[in-house]
Amino acid sequence: MSFTVIIPARLKSTRLPNKPLADLCGVPMIVRVARQALKSGASRVICAVDDESILQCCQKFGVQAVLTRKDHACGTDRICEAAEKSGIPDNEIIVNVQGDEPLIPPNIISAAADLLVNDAQSVMGTAAIRIKSSEEFFNPNVVKLILDKNNRAIYFSRAPIPWARDEFAKKQEVLPQDLGLRHVGIYSYRCGFLKSYPTLPKSPLEAFESLEQLRAIWNDYKIAVSVFNDEIPPGVDTAEDLERVRAFCAAKEFNS
């Protein structure tokens, strides 16, 4: 199975400016992400960047990159432009690996591509893991999701879903077993669908939650989900996250 990884990267992140260029033990974050993606078996890895400084950084480290417009509303629109500029055919599977996931396991990336090989009705795929603490469940920075019987997404939210009414009426410090799923920021697409994505009507839910994947659900497209039992390292959203990943890299002597 052939698939392409595209990594969107924006210089002016709201919570952590210049995030793609942040140093992780001598290697910029965007390069770390690309190197993890290359281990997944992808036929190629392309960074979709919005600034010349990120483009030059990628080129310095031998990573393929495409310069895209600065005014894209979301990462999906950015990878759509990169796919078109790169001449990727409509029947290709594209995996969108977020540019702030330097520790993402390569098997998660290949599994996202496999979802669309095995589920002809879905146009997108993503991943999730079990939430293990009430602190994580009630954290609005942790995106939760609920699934149907076919492991396709019903909804994504920053709110704690599903709400265990009877259990939480008693206490909220301990989660009922297997209650919550945390979304892992990775997506796969059929390239033909991806190219049509920017033309889809935008959902008000997408704006409320600041979660672009809700546009697909609102327009009645199906998103397949792989649920993993192993812990998947979270991405880098804040300065505290960055320091945590730096410490991890230093402790594990992360290969350059």
Side-chain angles (χ1 to χ4, degrees):
M1 175 194 64
S2 173
F3 67 95
T4 297
V5 172
I6 300 183
I7 304 168
R10 185 167 62 94
L11 190 66
K12 294 183 178 180
S13 171
T14 303
R15 286 180 285 184
L16 192 60
N18 301 323
K19 184 163 57 172
L21 303 178
D23 179 81
L24 295 177
C25 299
V27 178
M29 184 182 304
I30 186 66
V31 177
R32 290 284 189 197
V33 178
R35 289 178 177 177
Q36 288 297 94
L38 285 167
K39 298 174 186 176
S40 70
S43 56
R44 59 176 169 168
V45 175
I46 303 168
C47 294
V49 306
D50 76 337
D51 192 88
E52 188 72 30
S53 62
I54 312 175
L55 181 69
Q56 292 176 4
C57 171
C58 290
Q59 291 172 342
K60 176 183 176 181
F61 284 87
V63 173
Q64 185 178 352
V66 173
L67 189 63
T68 59
R69 300 196 332 252
K70 291 182 180 291
D71 60 349
H72 284 304
C74 64
T76 306
D77 292 345
R78 190 173 308 286
I79 70 166
C80 179
E81 181 186 349
E84 291 177 339
K85 283 187 172 181
S86 302
I88 299 175
D90 287 353
N91 61 352
E92 179 90 3
I93 292 174
I94 293 177
V95 180
N96 172 2
V97 176
Q98 301 297 313
D100 57 6
E101 299 274 353
L103 304 180
I104 188 167
N107 68 302
I108 302 298
I109 300 171
S110 57
D114 286 340
L115 281 171
L116 298 187
V117 173
N118 298 322
D119 184 349
Q121 294 185 45
S122 294
V123 296
M124 289 178 60
T126 190
I129 62 170
R130 296 286 175 189
I131 291 177
K132 298 178 180 176
S133 71
S134 59
E135 180 182 6
E136 189 177 15
F137 187 66
F138 290 102
N139 183 349
N141 291 321
V142 173
V143 176
K144 278 72 67 173
L145 69 156
I146 49 176
L147 308 178
D148 67 12
K149 65 179 182 179
N150 296 311
N151 270 18
R152 298 188 185 116
I154 297 173
Y155 192 65
F156 296 80
S157 182
R158 298 182 183 279
I161 57 170
W163 185 261
R165 186 195 67 174
D166 295 340
E167 289 85 349
F168 287 153
K170 300 171 187 175
K171 59 181 178 179
Q172 297 181 12
E173 292 76 19
V174 180
L175 291 183
Q177 186 175 8
D178 294 333
L179 175 67
L181 290 173
R182 173 168 72 85
H183 182 224
V184 177
I186 185 169
Y187 301 96
S188 55
Y189 307 87
R190 302 188 192 281
C191 190
F193 167 76
L194 174 65
K195 290 176 181 177
S196 70
Y197 183 88
T199 68
L200 294 177
K202 292 187 178 181
S203 163
L205 300 171
E206 176 184 358
F208 292 150
E209 297 264 18
S210 190
L211 297 173
E212 63 191 77
Q213 64 269 37
L214 292 174
R215 189 187 312 182
I217 293 177
W218 194 73
N219 283 282
D220 204 28
Y221 288 99
K222 299 184 185 302
I223 302 176
V225 181
S226 285
V227 178
F228 291 87
N229 293 320
D230 296 336
E231 181 64 27
I232 299 173
V236 177
D237 290 321
T238 66
E240 291 76 17
D241 293 338
L242 180 60
E243 292 307 314
R244 171 183 50 77
V245 172
R246 281 174 172 161
F248 177 90
C249 293
K252 298 295 183 179
E253 296 182 353
F254 205 50
N255 292 329
S256 298

